[in-house]
Amino acid sequence: MFKTIIEPFRIKTVEQIKMTTPEQRQETIRAAGYNIFALRSEDVIIDLLTDSGTGAMSSNQWGGVMRGDESYAGSPSFFHFRDSVHDITGFEHIIPTHQGRAAERILFSVMCKPGDVVPNNSHFDTTRANCEFTGAIALDLPSPELADMESDYPFKGDMDVDRLRETFAKYGAENIPLVMITVTNNSGGGQPVSLANVHEVAAVCREFDTPLYLDACRITENAYLIKQREPGQGDRPVREIVHEMCDLAQGCTMSAKKDAIVNIGGFLATRDPELARQHKDLLILTEGFPTYGGLAGRDLEALAIGMQEAVDEDYLHYRIMSTRYIGEHLRDAGVPILWPPGGHAIYLNASRFASHLSPVELPGVSIAVAMYELGGVRACEIGTLMFGHRDPETGEEVGGPRELVRLAIPRRTYTQSHMDYVIEVVTQVFEMRDALPAYRIAEQAPFLRHFSAKLERVE
Ligand SMILES: Cc1ncc(COP(=O)(O)O)c(C=O)c1O
């Protein structure tokens, strides 16, 4: 009925943003070695570095924080957390962890051994690292549709089921301790996975008697995109779609810093009592007693409430439509982006945006630096700085698989006028795209170089 998407909340507390000038920001980013990770957040006007742990909690969640019971064992906050997660997911054994990667470490330590293979639509980097740390191979099987950045295909996050079958044939089910599906597919451009695809993958897993686990960080956003885009799903409650996705799985890991809108927290869930026992043994070793994991009672309360708020459809409608709003406006202005928009982020196609720069001239860095200098907007390069490397023999830079800039949208944190401002900043950078300079890496660490690298502008 109305085209304006309003935020379905009012603002009770505000956080001051320090306003700066382009001249100040040019100096700040130069002093940071042109690395956006080296900026102090107070020098950023709109921070789109990540949607993880950066959401705004509700007054109900803050009320829960005050009610949190800090008993070491058997806290009522644990039971509140456990019942809420069980209500949404249906999983029986639920283990709190301080964040997603702790759940991943425990899951893979218990289930994997050297030489095993763990297929996923796309492993997130911590998932891959924790899997490989056990000596297993983390295998990505993304849908071939993901390669086309501009098509309207609605579920580019799907797993390639034919390749999953080939993987079972090649490695043998005895070497595949579990299959994972990441919803939404963060490393695959935040694209959703269809319910049909989860069914197909689950059927293959059943055939080979292999457990399926979900990386459920953004499961409610994924479910809302299923409701919007998948034939036959439009009239179903999101809660029911989430439950159906979980019904098809043996368990999940979840970083609750995403859809459950908490600043810290996560969990590991399973239906298997024997695995749960082994998970808890490891949990006690590094995270804490099973009724608090790595969390305080107040965090468990906030998480319990956040899980319920995450399936609120007015909230999800606003969330998904406001991400789409940014995507549509940028596309209308001619800015090349990964299409269609997913739930949590907009990805700029840096190769087309700054087409005069080759991957080793770091087009994504150039766009991100220009966005910061011009408007104080912080976004993240996902390209050669993050995934390329320097050849140890020739010393030459080798480009990454694709050049993207991610604008991740924190939940309930910014208003529509903030997003209109972001659209203006990106559009203005796009208008001056031919003048965007090349960058080169002056200093880099041997791994995860994007966090600490120092860069130079090529004059
Ligand atoms: C898909 C996915 N899995 C796992 C993680 C890891 O979660 P955490 O940062 O809470 O350890 C993330 C975090 O960004 C993610 O996006």
Side-chain angles (χ1 to χ4, degrees), residues 25-66:
R25 293 190 292 268
Q26 281 160 12
E27 179 46 31
T28 310
I29 190 79
R30 194 196 55 74
Y34 296 106
N35 187 334
I36 47 102
F37 285 99
L39 291 171
R40 290 181 180 216
S41 60
E42 61 192 12
D43 292 328
V44 174
I45 294 180
I46 309 273
D47 204 344
L48 307 183
L49 186 60
T50 177
D51 65 319
S52 180
T54 51
M57 292 211 293
S58 66
S59 51
N60 266 339
Q61 286 176 294
W62 282 111
V65 166
M66 284 309 293

Side-chain angles (χ1 to χ4, degrees), residues 425-441:
V425 171
V426 177
T427 307
Q428 286 194 27
V429 172
F430 186 60
E431 280 161 8
M432 54 182 236
R433 60 192 177 279
D434 293 338
L436 288 174
Y439 286 82
R440 66 169 159 254
I441 303 172

Side-chain angles (χ1 to χ4, degrees), residues 273-351:
E274 173 49 26
L275 278 181
R277 194 191 55 71
Q278 294 179 41
H279 292 327
K280 282 184 199 165
D281 289 346
L282 264 185
L283 184 84
I284 291 173
L285 208 59
T286 55
E287 289 280 298
F289 191 72
T291 61
Y292 72 87
L295 296 171
R298 54 179 170 269
D299 299 324
L300 292 168
E301 286 289 346
L303 208 168
I305 297 163
M307 279 303 280
Q308 300 295 325
E309 292 180 357
V311 291
D312 178 292
E313 300 207 11
D314 291 336
Y315 157 69
L316 281 170
H317 179 74
Y318 139 79
R319 169 79 178 152
I320 298 299
M321 295 312 284
S322 54
T323 302
R324 191 173 178 94
Y325 172 88
I326 306 163
E328 280 176 349
H329 277 73
L330 289 178
R331 193 161 88 145
D332 290 350
V335 178
I337 64 167
L338 172 57
W339 191 260
H344 74 291
I346 295 295
Y347 292 72
L348 309 179
N349 179 346
S351 320

Side-chain angles (χ1 to χ4, degrees), residues 237-305:
V238 164
R239 192 179 259 282
E240 206 177 284
I241 300 173
V242 170
H243 219 287
E244 184 171 334
M245 292 166 83
C246 293
D247 287 346
L248 293 162
Q250 269 292 313
C252 75
T253 55
M254 178 155 179
S255 168
K257 298 168 71 175
K258 282 82 173 175
D259 276 5
I261 325 179
V262 288
N263 304 121
I264 194 74
F267 59 86
L268 168 59
T270 180
R271 298 185 198 284
D272 184 324
E274 173 49 26
L275 278 181
R277 194 191 55 71
Q278 294 179 41
H279 292 327
K280 282 184 199 165
D281 289 346
L282 264 185
L283 184 84
I284 291 173
L285 208 59
T286 55
E287 289 280 298
F289 191 72
T291 61
Y292 72 87
L295 296 171
R298 54 179 170 269
D299 299 324
L300 292 168
E301 286 289 346
L303 208 168
I305 297 163

Side-chain angles (χ1 to χ4, degrees), residues 350-351 354-365 381 383-385 388 397-403 439 441 449:
S351 320
S355 54
H356 61 296
L357 299 178
S358 70
V360 295
E361 292 176 310
L362 305 176
V365 168
E381 187 254 17
T384 289
L385 178 61
E397 273 300 317
V398 182
R402 53 178 101 91
E403 303 300 321
Y439 286 82
I441 303 172
R449 63 183 188 173

Side-chain angles (χ1 to χ4, degrees), residues 1 23 33 78 82 120 138 151 158 222 230 252 324 342 346 380 415 435 444 449:
M1 202 174 14
E23 293 71 32
F78 168 74
R82 186 199 64 181
N120 199 327
S151 81
D158 281 355
N222 197 112
E230 196 160 341
C252 75
R324 191 173 178 94
I346 295 295
C380 183
T415 63
Q444 58 176 301
R449 63 183 188 173

Side-chain angles (χ1 to χ4, degrees), residues 1-316:
M1 202 174 14
F2 299 105
K3 69 176 179 15
T4 308
I5 314 149
I6 64 162
E7 291 81 6
F9 46 81
R10 293 181 299 196
I11 297 168
K12 195 181 286 244
T13 305
V14 296
E15 215 178 342
Q16 193 74 24
I17 294 175
K18 185 175 99 185
M19 301 306 282
T20 48
T21 63
E23 293 71 32
Q24 287 169 329
R25 293 190 292 268
Q26 281 160 12
E27 179 46 31
T28 310
I29 190 79
R30 194 196 55 74
Y34 296 106
N35 187 334
I36 47 102
F37 285 99
L39 291 171
R40 290 181 180 216
S41 60
E42 61 192 12
D43 292 328
V44 174
I45 294 180
I46 309 273
D47 204 344
L48 307 183
L49 186 60
T50 177
D51 65 319
S52 180
T54 51
M57 292 211 293
S58 66
S59 51
N60 266 339
Q61 286 176 294
W62 282 111
V65 166
M66 284 309 293
R67 285 194 301 277
D69 179 301
E70 303 302 341
S71 305
Y72 188 93
S75 160
S77 300
F78 168 74
F79 295 106
H80 188 194
F81 152 83
R82 186 199 64 181
D83 295 347
S84 178
V85 174
H86 175 73
D87 176 47
I88 301 290
T89 64
F91 295 124
E92 278 128 66
H93 306 280
I94 298 154
I95 296 164
T97 58
H98 79 276
Q99 60 185 88
R101 66 198 71 185
E104 292 159 7
R105 189 186 63 79
I106 294 171
L107 176 74
F108 294 131
S109 304
V110 168
M111 295 187 83
C112 297
K113 60 177 184 344
D116 281 350
V117 176
V118 181
N120 199 327
N121 45 354
S122 302
H123 286 272
F124 180 67
D125 54 11
T126 59
T127 321
R128 168 178 299 283
N130 276 299
C131 178
E132 290 175 349
F133 192 68
T134 67
I137 300 163
L139 193 67
D140 286 348
L141 304 177
S143 152
E145 309 285 349
L146 187 59
D148 182 349
M149 299 242 261
E150 266 134 56
S151 81
D152 286 329
Y153 191 77
F155 292 108
K156 293 182 184 172
D158 281 355
M159 179 182 279
D160 185 333
V161 180
D162 292 338
R163 283 189 63 205
L164 179 63
R165 283 191 173 283
E166 286 163 23
T167 304
F168 271 103
K170 180 170 173 193
Y171 296 96
E174 65 284 8
N175 296 313
I176 303 181
L178 75 158
V179 172
M180 274 192 114
I181 308 185
T182 306
V183 288
T184 53
N185 187 345
N186 187 11
S187 304
Q191 295 289 308
V193 177
S194 65
L195 189 55
N197 188 251
V198 185
H199 272 278
E200 283 178 78
V201 171
V204 175
C205 289
R206 268 197 308 278
E207 197 179 312
F208 291 98
D209 200 17
T210 300
L212 171 64
Y213 275 73
L214 300 176
D215 177 341
C217 297
R218 300 180 181 83
I219 191 169
T220 69
E221 291 175 1
N222 197 112
Y224 195 79
L225 288 162
I226 288 175
K227 181 179 171 112
Q228 274 191 334
R229 296 182 186 173
E230 196 160 341
Q233 301 299 323
D235 293 331
R236 295 182 68 196
V238 164
R239 192 179 259 282
E240 206 177 284
I241 300 173
V242 170
H243 219 287
E244 184 171 334
M245 292 166 83
C246 293
D247 287 346
L248 293 162
Q250 269 292 313
C252 75
T253 55
M254 178 155 179
S255 168
K257 298 168 71 175
K258 282 82 173 175
D259 276 5
I261 325 179
V262 288
N263 304 121
I264 194 74
F267 59 86
L268 168 59
T270 180
R271 298 185 198 284
D272 184 324
E274 173 49 26
L275 278 181
R277 194 191 55 71
Q278 294 179 41
H279 292 327
K280 282 184 199 165
D281 289 346
L282 264 185
L283 184 84
I284 291 173
L285 208 59
T286 55
E287 289 280 298
F289 191 72
T291 61
Y292 72 87
L295 296 171
R298 54 179 170 269
D299 299 324
L300 292 168
E301 286 289 346
L303 208 168
I305 297 163
M307 279 303 280
Q308 300 295 325
E309 292 180 357
V311 291
D312 178 292
E313 300 207 11
D314 291 336
Y315 157 69
L316 281 170

